[in-house]
Amino acid sequence: MSKLGSLGHRLYQGEVSFDFVGRRKLWYSISALILLAAVVGLGVNGLKLGIEFTGGSVYTVTKPGVSVEQARSAADKVVEHTAPIVQSVGNDKVTIQISKDETKSATQVTDELSKSLGVKADTINADVIGPSWGKEISKQALTGLVIFMILVTIYLAIAFEWRMAVAALVALMHDLVITIGVYALVGFEVTPGTVIGFLTILGYSLYDTVVVFDTVKENTRTLSKQNRLSYSEAANHALNQTLVRSINTTVLALLPVAALLFIGGGLLGAGTLNDISLALFIGLAAGAYSSICVATPLLAQLKEEQPEMKALAKRVAQRRAADARAAAEKPQSEDGEGEGDSEDEAVPAGVVGQRNQPVGRRGKGRPSGKRH
């Protein structure tokens, strides 16, 4: 940890720097490949919408010692056209989701499940969800996402500038598409908890991006008054200043989410945790990547198109070329010049330097010049 803290200090002071902005073509290529895989997975597999969006019936069975396998075997005997979804929701309790395409009534399904599992019918809780309610939930989720995007754009355009708003929105869409694509590839069910996870990761990704943009804004406030750094270099320095903070925040956020996903949903079998934990896990990782490798390089690319930034980049290049020529024309000590010449050059013009007198013995009988 001390080494990481030392690295963060060196990054902040500019002693160490990773060229994220200069390698933006590499990051764009990596993002393009990931997005392509996500889009292909979404097109081939599609999203597995939960019963809240499609409609159907949910039966909660409470029985000591009941297992998911027993409940699935009983549900398979009941359904005729679709595959049931069976999940454990706690000790001695399982849920069985049956699609709306099944023709049997809730009473018939309850009676058959009670016989197969050996429980009383009144101990099985049945909830019937109509498809119209699911459509309303989907509409509200989409409306919330659109409103969120509009508010984000307005805020960034006012607090920063429109180029930062565009870069942040591109990063947000990048994270959203990747997360949805992973859901399609893995085959996890999309539920209202998943939608909550989507909105959460968008907020987190925006927070991380705004932190970087705020540092970029501070570092480039008087950038046009100098000729040492271009906008891309100043933005890259700001990114390095916040790099360790972004990594630490992401790691600390991923640890509890990973516990929910792999321990709660995987080892303990609490399938309901998978809905929100997978969205959070993929979204947090994608958000950290996009704020570092997508948003800031894209912002620098947009800013470099401004005439004043093009002029600044030209002045920086001219100064560096002049410095390089001056360094190449600087006389070297091995050019054959005497050491005395070098000493004379070190003395400012018009100033007589100290002369070195030869060392030797005074002649005998020569007065020393001292008075006795």
Side-chain angles (χ1 to χ4, degrees):
M1 295 299 293
S2 61
K3 292 182 178 180
L4 186 59
S6 174
L7 177 61
H9 177 74
R10 295 171 66 191
L11 286 169
Y12 188 84
Q13 296 297 330
E15 299 174 8
V16 179
S17 179
F18 300 100
D19 191 9
F20 292 103
V21 175
R23 295 192 176 114
R24 56 175 168 251
K25 291 184 179 179
L26 173 62
W27 313 129
Y28 292 168
S29 300
I30 294 175
S31 294
L33 291 176
I34 298 175
L35 290 173
L36 179 61
V39 172
V40 170
L42 186 61
V44 174
N45 297 335
L47 288 175
K48 187 178 180 181
L49 298 178
I51 196 172
E52 294 85 357
F53 298 101
T54 59
S57 304
V58 180
Y59 302 88
T60 304
V61 181
T62 303
K63 179 184 177 181
V66 66
S67 64
V68 173
E69 289 75 16
Q70 293 174 342
R72 182 176 289 108
S73 177
D76 288 337
K77 298 177 182 179
V78 176
V79 298
E80 298 175 349
H81 307 290
T82 60
I85 299 175
V86 182
Q87 293 179 337
S88 174
V89 293
N91 295 331
D92 304 328
K93 185 179 292 187
V94 295
T95 60
I96 301 172
Q97 296 184 16
I98 297 179
S99 172
K100 62 180 178 60
D101 297 329
E102 296 295 330
T103 57
K104 293 183 179 180
S105 65
T107 303
Q108 290 177 312
V109 173
T110 301
D111 292 338
E112 293 183 21
L113 287 176
S114 65
K115 294 177 182 178
S116 299
L117 294 173
V119 297
K120 294 181 179 181
D122 56 2
T123 61
I124 300 177
N125 184 29
D127 293 323
V128 180
I129 301 174
S132 59
W133 188 83
K135 291 180 180 179
E136 184 65 23
I137 290 295
S138 303
K139 181 180 179 181
Q140 291 179 359
L142 183 60
T143 302
L145 181 62
V146 172
I147 293 175
F148 176 83
M149 292 293 187
I150 293 174
L151 292 178
V152 166
T153 305
I154 295 175
Y155 168 75
L156 290 177
I158 295 175
F160 297 98
E161 60 170 304
W162 68 266
R163 293 175 184 83
M164 290 186 176
V166 170
L169 284 179
V170 170
L172 288 177
M173 296 304 298
H174 171 276
D175 303 338
L176 185 61
V177 172
I178 289 178
T179 306
I180 294 176
V182 170
Y183 257 83
L185 291 172
V186 175
F188 274 22
E189 192 177 36
V190 177
T191 65
T194 306
V195 177
I196 295 173
F198 286 162
L199 296 177
T200 303
I201 62 173
L202 292 180
Y204 176 85
S205 175
L206 178 65
Y207 165 77
D208 205 20
T209 302
V210 166
V211 169
V212 179
F213 282 0
D214 186 64
T215 308
V216 172
K217 180 180 179 180
E218 186 66 26
N219 288 2
T220 58
R221 190 180 303 275
T222 59
L223 191 66
S224 59
K225 299 179 181 179
Q226 52 82 52
N227 58 358
R228 294 181 179 274
L229 292 175
S230 64
Y231 188 93
S232 294
E233 292 168 341
N236 190 75
H237 178 56
L239 188 56
N240 279 270
Q241 286 180 309
T242 57
L243 180 61
V244 173
R245 175 181 178 176
S246 298
I247 293 175
N248 289 338
T249 305
T250 303
V251 171
L252 291 177
L254 282 176
L255 287 176
V257 174
L260 288 175
L261 179 61
F262 299 109
I263 298 178
L267 297 179
L268 301 182
T272 53
L273 295 177
N274 290 335
D275 302 339
I276 189 171
S277 58
L278 180 64
L280 289 175
F281 188 84
I282 301 300
L284 289 175
Y289 172 82
S290 66
S291 63
I292 296 173
C293 300
V294 176
T296 307
L298 179 58
L299 170 64
Q301 183 177 356
L302 293 174
K303 291 290 291 185
E304 291 288 359
E305 297 298 323
Q306 290 183 279
E308 57 268 29
M309 293 304 152
K310 289 182 178 180
L312 173 62
K314 185 177 180 180
R315 294 200 307 269
V316 171
Q318 290 175 346
R319 170 170 182 149
R320 290 177 181 174
D323 291 343
R325 287 194 300 269
E329 295 171 358
K330 185 178 180 180
Q332 303 294 329
S333 58
E334 60 269 11
D335 289 342
E337 301 291 340
E339 294 183 358
D341 296 338
S342 299
E343 292 178 358
D344 290 339
E345 290 176 359
V347 180
V351 179
V352 179
Q354 181 181 0
R355 295 185 179 181
N356 295 327
Q357 299 290 342
V359 179
R361 293 184 177 180
R362 295 180 182 272
K364 292 182 179 181
R366 183 177 179 180
S368 61
K370 295 182 179 180
R371 294 182 179 180
H372 297 283

